[in-house]
Coordinates of all heavy atoms in Angstrom, one line a residue:
S152 N 135.4 144.4 76.0 CA 135.6 143.5 77.1 C 136.0 142.1 76.6 O 135.5 141.7 75.5 CB 134.4 143.4 78.0 OG 133.3 143.0 77.2
S158 N 128.4 128.2 79.1 CA 127.9 126.9 79.0 C 126.5 126.9 78.9 O 125.8 128.0 79.1 CB 128.3 126.1 80.3 OG 127.5 126.5 81.4
K160 N 124.2 126.0 80.7 CA 123.6 126.5 82.0 C 123.5 127.9 82.1 O 122.6 128.5 82.7 CB 124.3 125.9 83.1 CG 123.9 124.5 83.6 CD 122.6 124.5 84.3 CE 122.2 123.1 84.8 NZ 120.8 123.1 85.3
D165 N 115.8 131.3 85.9 CA 115.2 130.6 87.1 C 113.7 130.4 86.9 O 113.0 130.0 87.9 CB 115.5 131.4 88.3 CG 115.0 132.8 88.4 OD1 114.5 133.2 87.3 OD2 115.2 133.5 89.4
G175 N 107.2 119.9 72.1 CA 108.4 120.0 71.2 C 109.2 121.2 71.6 O 110.3 121.3 71.3
I179 N 113.4 122.4 71.5 CA 113.9 123.6 70.8 C 114.7 124.5 71.7 O 115.8 125.0 71.4 CB 112.8 124.3 70.1 CG1 112.1 123.4 69.0 CG2 113.3 125.6 69.3 CD1 110.8 124.0 68.5
L180 N 114.1 124.7 72.9 CA 114.7 125.6 73.9 C 116.1 125.0 74.2 O 117.1 125.7 74.3 CB 113.9 125.6 75.2 CG 114.5 126.3 76.3 CD1 114.7 127.8 76.1 CD2 113.6 126.2 77.7
N196 N 124.7 140.5 75.2 CA 124.7 141.1 73.9 C 123.6 140.4 73.0 O 123.6 140.6 71.7 CB 126.0 140.9 73.2 CG 126.3 141.9 72.1 OD1 126.2 143.1 72.3 ND2 126.5 141.4 70.9
T197 N 122.7 139.7 73.6 CA 121.7 138.9 72.9 C 120.3 139.3 73.3 O 120.0 139.5 74.5 CB 121.9 137.4 73.1 OG1 123.2 137.0 72.9 CG2 120.9 136.5 72.4
I221 N 103.4 141.9 71.2 CA 102.0 141.6 70.9 C 101.9 140.8 69.6 O 102.8 140.5 68.8 CB 101.2 142.9 70.8 CG1 101.8 143.8 69.7 CG2 101.1 143.6 72.1 CD1 101.1 145.1 69.5
V228 N 109.2 145.1 66.5 CA 109.9 145.4 67.6 C 111.4 145.0 67.4 O 112.3 145.8 67.8 CB 109.4 144.7 68.8 CG1 110.2 144.9 70.1 CG2 107.9 145.2 69.1
L234 N 118.0 148.4 64.9 CA 118.4 149.7 64.3 C 119.0 150.6 65.6 O 119.9 151.4 65.3 CB 117.3 150.4 63.7 CG 116.9 149.7 62.3 CD1 115.7 150.5 61.8 CD2 118.0 149.6 61.4
D247 N 103.4 129.5 63.7 CA 102.8 129.5 62.4 C 101.6 130.5 62.4 O 101.4 131.2 61.4 CB 102.3 128.1 61.9 CG 101.7 127.3 63.1 OD1 102.3 127.2 64.1 OD2 100.5 126.9 62.9
L251 N 102.3 134.0 60.3 CA 101.8 133.9 59.0 C 100.3 134.3 58.9 O 99.7 134.4 57.8 CB 101.9 132.4 58.5 CG 103.3 132.0 58.4 CD1 103.3 130.5 58.0 CD2 104.2 132.8 57.4
N256 N 102.1 140.3 57.4 CA 102.6 141.5 56.8 C 104.0 141.9 57.3 O 104.9 142.2 56.6 CB 101.5 142.6 57.0 CG 102.1 143.9 56.5 OD1 102.5 144.1 55.4 ND2 101.9 144.9 57.4
Q269 N 117.9 136.4 63.3 CA 117.4 135.1 63.1 C 116.0 135.0 63.4 O 115.5 135.4 64.6 CB 118.2 134.1 64.0 CG 119.7 134.0 63.6 CD 120.5 135.2 64.0 OE1 121.2 135.9 63.2 NE2 120.4 135.6 65.3
G301 N 86.1 119.9 59.2 CA 87.4 119.9 58.5 C 87.8 121.2 57.8 O 86.9 121.6 57.1
L314 N 110.7 132.5 50.9 CA 111.4 132.7 49.6 C 110.7 133.7 48.8 O 111.3 134.6 48.1 CB 111.5 131.4 48.9 CG 112.6 130.4 49.3 CD1 112.4 129.0 48.7 CD2 114.0 130.9 49.1
N373 N 112.0 109.1 54.5 CA 111.2 110.3 54.3 C 111.9 111.6 54.7 O 111.2 112.7 54.6 CB 109.9 110.2 55.0 CG 109.0 109.1 54.5 OD1 109.0 108.9 53.2 ND2 108.2 108.4 55.3
L375 N 115.1 114.2 53.9 CA 116.3 114.5 53.0 C 117.0 115.7 53.7 O 116.5 116.8 53.6 CB 115.8 114.8 51.6 CG 116.8 115.5 50.7 CD1 118.0 114.5 50.5 CD2 116.2 115.8 49.3
V403 N 112.2 111.6 41.8 CA 112.9 110.6 42.6 C 113.4 109.5 41.7 O 112.7 109.0 40.8 CB 111.9 110.0 43.6 CG1 112.7 109.0 44.4 CG2 111.5 111.1 44.6
D410 N 125.9 104.4 43.2 CA 126.4 105.1 42.0 C 125.4 106.3 41.8 O 124.6 106.2 40.8 CB 126.4 104.2 40.8 CG 127.0 104.8 39.5 OD1 127.5 106.1 39.6 OD2 126.8 104.4 38.4
V416 N 121.9 112.0 40.0 CA 121.4 112.7 41.2 C 121.9 114.1 41.2 O 123.1 114.3 41.0 CB 121.7 111.9 42.4 CG1 121.4 112.8 43.7 CG2 121.0 110.5 42.5
A417 N 121.1 115.0 41.5 CA 121.5 116.4 41.6 C 122.3 116.7 42.8 O 122.1 116.1 43.9 CB 120.2 117.4 41.5
L430 N 112.6 122.5 46.2 CA 112.8 121.6 47.4 C 111.7 121.9 48.5 O 111.2 121.0 49.1 CB 114.2 121.9 48.1 CG 115.4 121.3 47.3 CD1 116.7 121.7 47.9 CD2 115.3 119.7 47.3
Q463 N 126.1 159.2 56.4 CA 126.4 160.1 55.3 C 125.6 161.4 55.5 O 126.1 162.5 55.2 CB 125.9 159.5 54.0 CG 126.2 160.2 52.7 CD 125.8 159.6 51.4 OE1 125.0 158.6 51.5 NE2 126.3 159.9 50.3

Side-chain angles (χ1 to χ4, degrees):
S152 58
S158 69
K160 274 286 183 186
D165 60 359
I179 301 171
L180 175 64
N196 202 56
T197 305
I221 56 179
V228 174
L234 293 182
D247 44 305
L251 299 178
N256 175 48
Q269 294 72 235
L314 285 168
N373 292 327
L375 168 60
V403 176
D410 185 12
V416 172
L430 289 170
Q463 184 179 19

